[in-house]
Amino acid sequence: DVQLVESGGGSVQAGGSLALSCAVSAVTYRTNCVGWFRQAPGEQREGVASIDTAGTTAYANSVKGRFTISRDSAKNTVELQMNSLKPEDTATYYCAARLGLCGQRVGTRNVYPDWGQGTQVTVS
């Protein structure tokens, strides 16, 4: 089983920052593209950012220049640093994984078979 565990959500004022972390197994870290998605109430789940073992990253236009995705090989985690947060960033954030490289786009939820439980981010 591929297990992903998110942490780091919380509440912050507009303009503030939060960092999310997705912990994965060592095997998953070495072989998977990992993406961050978010879903606000009544909205579809949308891709936010992705990163693969080659270090290729992709971002949704809505977060470019504000969010940064990175990998930490010492911890087997994928981090999402979120700066200049806006109220419209409020959502439940999920990390997801799929085998292989990510490509140039985050992709849709349908191409990611494995998901974490989600962590809430609220920006007021």
Side-chain angles (χ1 to χ4, degrees):
D1 279 353
V2 176
Q3 293 189 332
L4 304 97
V5 180
E6 302 97 335
S7 60
S11 297
V12 66
Q13 290 188 337
S17 299
L18 279 175
L20 305 182
S21 182
C22 176
V24 302
S25 70
V27 172
T28 298
Y29 186 87
R30 291 196 304 268
T31 60
N32 277 244
C33 161
V34 176
W36 281 98
F37 285 72
R38 66 186 181 186
Q39 187 167 18
E43 302 290 333
Q44 292 190 349
R45 192 169 298 187
E46 62 170 349
V48 173
S50 62
I51 188 168
D52 63 21
T53 57
T56 300
T57 59
Y59 295 92
N61 288 335
S62 58
V63 306
K64 279 182 182 177
R66 301 188 298 123
F67 290 12
T68 303
I69 191 170
S70 61
R71 289 157 51 92
D72 186 331
S73 60
K75 300 178 183 177
N76 291 334
T77 58
V78 174
E79 315 288 334
L80 184 68
Q81 178 65 43
M82 306 183 294
N83 298 329
S84 301
L85 283 162
K86 305 174 181 179
E88 51 263 44
D89 294 317
T90 295
T92 301
Y93 283 70
Y94 301 87
C95 64
R98 58 185 176 96
L99 280 174
L101 299 177
C102 291
Q104 299 301 313
R105 301 178 67 178
V106 178
T108 66
R109 62 181 299 179
N110 294 332
V111 301
Y112 290 82
D114 300 299
W115 291 83
Q117 81 287 353
T119 186
Q120 179 66 35
V121 170
T122 302
V123 185
S124 59

